[in-house]
Amino acid sequence: MDFSRALRERRTRRHLSQLDLALRAGTTQRHLSFIESGRSVPGRNMVVRLAESLELPLRERNELLLAAGYAPAYPESAFDDPALAPARTAVRHILRGHLPYPALVVDRGGDLIAANTAFDLLTEGAAPRLVGEGTNVYRLALHPDGLAPRIVNLAEWARHILAGLGHLEELRAELAGYVPDLEPSAGALGFAVPLRLRSPYGELRLMTTVTTFATAVDVTLAELKLEAFLPADPATAEALLAATGPTAPSAAAGQAPGKG
């Protein structure tokens, strides 16, 4: 990666002028212009300041440092690393606390890290190879052997999922092949897509929220996403309460985050 070009691309992608970025990073527009043209070689601290000023994800900050010839500043630990034990404990508590509603944690690629027992209701009937720790939740959602046959509003939900997979081109291409050319239903709002799922307890209408570790300084932790499902109507709330029974942590929630 050419550092000058990479920096310029990231700045323009965020619609920042050289002056805007220079002010944020505490330098001059002239100096930044020299850096972007390759006439000046930035020090490590300057690269870090520029990356922070651009509000880049930690992975991209490391990439910029490498492109400039410096070692990465942010570690990328395995999730079962002892250093992430506090994070695993936090994940376990959050998943348990969200019961009786489904919740799960996925990594950057959408692979399942952990889930609570209520998530089992959503995956009921799916092929075993698509379910469980390490499997891909996006594939589970749209695969014909996954949740797709039970999703009432498949067209809207598929578009909602595919729109968020720009960084996973191969997976997006695969999943797009599973989705028929369905037209969204009348009145569908692209920015607010509930999941409508058939279940033994009737149709479930679910909203989703996504939580991230905003202050993380480890790449793995920063890229985790905790997706929580919430009932969109009273009938769904009652169905989830009836389906989950006593609130207890799932095997996934107790194993994956609990190591260390």
Side-chain angles (χ1 to χ4, degrees):
M1 183 191 302
D2 177 76
F3 173 77
S4 300
R5 183 179 62 187
L7 177 62
R8 185 167 57 253
E9 288 176 351
R10 283 157 176 76
R11 176 180 60 77
T12 55
R13 189 192 311 160
R14 283 159 177 75
H15 306 290
L16 292 174
S17 67
Q18 285 186 341
L19 178 59
D20 291 333
L21 180 56
L23 290 173
R24 290 187 182 190
T27 188
T28 65
Q29 181 180 0
R30 176 183 174 85
H31 187 201
L32 180 58
S33 175
F34 277 24
I35 291 174
E36 289 193 353
S37 65
R39 296 170 64 187
S40 178
V41 178
R44 187 175 190 274
N45 287 341
M46 176 56 70
V47 176
V48 171
R49 279 159 48 194
L50 289 169
E52 289 177 346
S53 300
L54 288 167
E55 298 180 350
L56 297 178
L58 299 191
R59 182 177 297 277
E60 286 195 52
R61 297 184 193 189
N62 279 346
E63 290 172 353
L64 267 189
L65 282 163
L66 286 169
Y70 301 110
Y74 306 95
E76 184 174 358
S77 309
F79 190 62
D80 60 359
D81 190 291
L84 297 188
R88 293 195 299 274
T89 299
V91 165
R92 184 165 60 246
H93 287 321
I94 293 170
L95 292 175
R96 183 186 295 115
H98 195 66
L99 290 168
Y101 308 142
L104 63 152
V105 177
V106 298
D107 65 13
R108 179 174 183 266
D111 291 342
L112 182 66
I113 299 296
N116 63 13
T117 51
F119 186 60
D120 294 341
L121 178 62
L122 303 190
T123 63
E124 186 174 335
R129 71 181 187 280
L130 298 176
V131 180
E133 182 183 337
T135 59
N136 190 276
V137 297
Y138 304 130
R139 183 176 291 111
L140 168 67
L142 300 184
H143 196 283
D145 295 332
L147 305 188
R150 296 171 51 210
I151 298 177
V152 177
N153 58 332
L154 181 58
E156 292 92 348
W157 189 247
R159 283 172 172 76
H160 169 69
I161 290 178
L162 294 175
L165 299 183
H167 65 298
L168 301 170
E169 295 182 4
E170 290 186 10
L171 179 63
R172 190 183 191 283
E174 175 197 338
L175 301 188
Y178 299 142
V179 181
D181 293 328
L182 301 175
E183 289 297 324
S185 58
L189 299 176
F191 62 88
V193 183
L195 172 62
R196 297 174 55 195
L197 189 69
R198 301 181 186 91
S199 82
Y201 296 85
E203 182 181 310
L204 304 178
R205 296 177 60 89
L206 298 160
M207 303 178 293
T208 61
T209 63
V210 175
T211 303
T212 60
F213 288 84
T215 58
V217 291
D218 185 283
V219 175
T220 298
L221 189 57
E223 292 178 342
L224 291 184
K225 291 195 301 184
L226 191 150
E227 186 160 4
F229 292 82
L230 297 167
D233 56 37
T236 299
E238 293 176 7
L240 291 172
L241 183 59
T244 55
T247 57
S250 71
Q255 293 173 6
K259 295 178 182 177

